[in-house]
Amino acid sequence: MTPRSGLFRTIASRIAAVSVLLLAVACSPRQGTVEGVASIDDAPAAGAEIQAFVKAGAERSGTPFATGAAREDGFFSLPLPPGSYHLVARRTVRAEGRDRTYKAEYSGNPVRVSGGETVKGISFALVEMSSGGFVPRRGTGVTGAVVIDGKPAKGVYVYAYPDNVGTVRGPSYAAFARAGEDGRFRIVLREGAFRIVAREKGGENETGAMSSSGKTGGDEGIPVRLEPGSTRDLGRIALRSPDEGKRRRRAAGGGQAAPAAEIRGAAVREDGSPAPGVYVMAYADHRMIGRPFAISGRTGTDGAFILKFPKPGKYFLGARGEYGGPVSPGEPVGMFDGSPDHGVLVRDGERLEGIRIRVAEKW
C-alpha cells in the first residue's frame, strides 16, 4: 500500500466514523446531558469552554465534537447524544499583561452518556498549561516560603523545571507560582522529578532575563520527586544576589551558562525580505502547544535570531509577533518549512546555521 493510498484510507475511515456518529445522533430520540462545575484556584472559572471529544490522546488537540461554556458561578450543562466522551475544560485568562491558558481533563474520562439521562458531578479544577502541553495533577506539587534577609519575599517567582530538561533557566519550566504577602507559595505539578528555584527578576513578568538587581534562591534547583497526590513542603528558600560574572555569561549565552547546542537563522516575510519584531520559538512537542522550550529575543531589522539549548535534540520551530495567548489579527506568524513536521535535529555541541522561517500576517 502506498503512503497516498494509506492517507486516503485513513480519511475515508474517519469520514465513515463521523457519518455513523451523525446517523446515531439523527436517529436518537433523546439526548443526554453532562453537568458540573469548573474552577481555577478554587474560584469559579466563568466562561471556561467545556469540550467533548469522541477520541482520546492526540485527537484532543483537534476540533471537539461539542462545546459549551461555564456560567458566572462555574456551573455548566452540555447536551450530548448517547455515546462515550472525553471531557476537557479550557479557559484563557489575561493576567499580568499576558494571556494564560488553563486546562483540565475530567479524571473520570471517558464518560458514558445515555439518552434522556443527566451525568452530574463533573468537576474541573483548571491549571495553567505549560511546555509540551504539561497538565498538572490536582493535589500534587510543592509548597514553601521565600525570604530575603529572613523576611517574607512578596511577589517572587518560583519555578519548577522537569529534572530531564537539563537546565533551571529559560522558558522550559513546567509550572510556576508567585509568592504571596507572607512569602508562601504553592506550585501544582504532577508525579515525576523536578528542580525548584526562586527568583526576584526585577520585572513584573515571569519571563525574560534577570536584571542586575535581581536575586535568586535554590542554586541549581532543589530536587524533588513526587508521587501522584503528594505535596512536599520545601521549607524556606533564601534569596541572595547572584554572582555578577555568572549572570553576565548566562545573559550572553541566551540564558544558558554553557549551551549544548544552538540554532541560528532569520525570519523572513513572504517576499523573502527580513521580518523584524518577531519571536522565534522552539518546542519539544510537535504540535507546538503550550510554553516553548526555548525562545529568541525579538528579531531586529535583519530578521536574525539565535536559539540556545541546554541539551541537544529535535525541536519544532515557529515564529510569531507575541509569545503568549491567541494569535491577534495582523500578527506575523509562521513555521519552519524545511521539513514536513517543521522540526530540526540539533546535535550536542552543534551550531546549526542558515535556518529560515517565513512569516505572514494572519487575518
Side-chain angles (χ1 to χ4, degrees):
M1 181 176 67
T2 66
R4 192 174 186 84
S5 65
L7 175 62
F8 288 149
R9 184 168 298 179
T10 300
I11 294 173
S13 65
R14 290 183 178 178
I15 292 175
V18 172
S19 300
V20 170
L21 182 59
L22 293 176
L23 180 61
V25 172
C27 296
S28 176
R30 293 185 298 174
Q31 289 193 331
T33 305
V34 293
E35 292 183 354
V37 293
S39 64
I40 297 176
D41 294 332
D42 297 321
E49 184 178 44
I50 312 303
Q51 303 174 329
F53 293 86
V54 178
K55 292 185 178 181
E59 292 293 333
R60 293 201 297 275
S61 64
T63 303
F65 174 79
T67 62
R71 302 184 318 204
E72 288 296 319
D73 60 358
F75 176 82
F76 65 86
S77 179
L78 180 64
L80 291 167
S84 183
Y85 300 92
H86 290 259
L87 303 181
V88 177
R90 287 185 172 90
R91 188 188 177 201
T92 299
V93 177
R94 187 74 177 178
E96 299 177 354
R98 286 188 57 195
D99 288 322
R100 306 182 188 280
T101 300
Y102 290 77
K103 175 186 173 184
E105 298 189 22
Y106 179 50
S107 59
N109 281 337
V111 175
R112 180 69 185 176
V113 177
S114 300
E117 295 183 357
T118 298
V119 180
K120 298 183 178 182
I122 306 295
S123 178
F124 292 109
L126 284 74
V127 291
E128 187 180 4
M129 290 183 63
S130 303
S131 181
F134 176 92
V135 180
R137 184 191 299 274
R138 189 173 177 83
T140 306
V142 295
T143 61
V146 188
V147 297
I148 298 178
D149 297 328
K151 298 179 180 179
K154 172 188 173 183
V156 169
Y157 289 102
V158 185
Y159 305 84
Y161 285 82
D163 192 56
N164 63 356
V165 303
T167 185
V168 291
R169 297 174 181 86
S172 56
Y173 51 88
F176 78 96
R178 203 168 187 185
E181 295 278 349
D182 57 357
R184 299 282 309 173
F185 67 88
R186 176 184 293 273
I187 307 179
V188 183
L189 295 167
R190 62 179 303 121
E191 65 273 14
F194 301 90
R195 290 186 175 271
I196 312 300
V197 292
R199 295 194 177 101
E200 185 184 54
K201 301 176 74 67
E204 286 299 311
N205 197 296
E206 79 279 3
T207 60
M210 182 182 296
S211 71
S212 58
S213 62
K215 297 181 184 298
T216 182
D219 297 318
E220 293 306 306
I222 301 169
V224 296
R225 181 172 292 277
L226 301 171
E227 299 298 327
S230 67
T231 297
R232 179 175 167 185
D233 192 329
L234 303 180
R236 302 205 314 174
I237 302 176
L239 296 185
R240 56 176 175 75
S241 297
D243 180 278
E244 182 61 17
K246 290 183 179 180
R247 189 192 71 82
R248 289 180 178 176
R249 286 193 293 272
R250 283 195 296 268
Q256 306 300 329
E262 65 181 67
I263 295 174
R264 296 181 177 230
V268 299
R269 300 187 181 98
E270 291 182 291
D271 62 1
S273 62
V278 301
Y279 295 99
V280 177
M281 307 172 190
Y283 294 83
D285 189 297
H286 72 280
R287 295 171 292 175
M288 289 192 259
I289 60 175
R291 186 176 294 112
F293 190 90
I295 183 170
S296 74
R298 282 191 185 272
T299 56
T301 55
D302 58 356
F305 70 86
I306 302 175
L307 290 169
K308 300 194 177 187
F309 304 91
K311 67 175 186 178
K314 186 170 185 179
Y315 299 98
F316 304 89
L317 307 184
R320 57 176 294 189
E322 300 297 335
Y323 61 82
V327 175
S328 302
E331 181 181 346
V333 177
M335 292 185 288
F336 173 63
D337 57 9
S339 65
D341 62 0
H342 315 294
V344 173
L345 178 64
V346 57
R347 297 175 175 83
D348 191 20
E350 182 178 19
R351 174 189 287 185
L352 195 59
E353 301 189 18
I355 299 297
R356 288 164 61 90
I357 299 181
R358 196 175 302 273
V359 299
E361 293 182 353
K362 296 299 181 182
W363 297 95

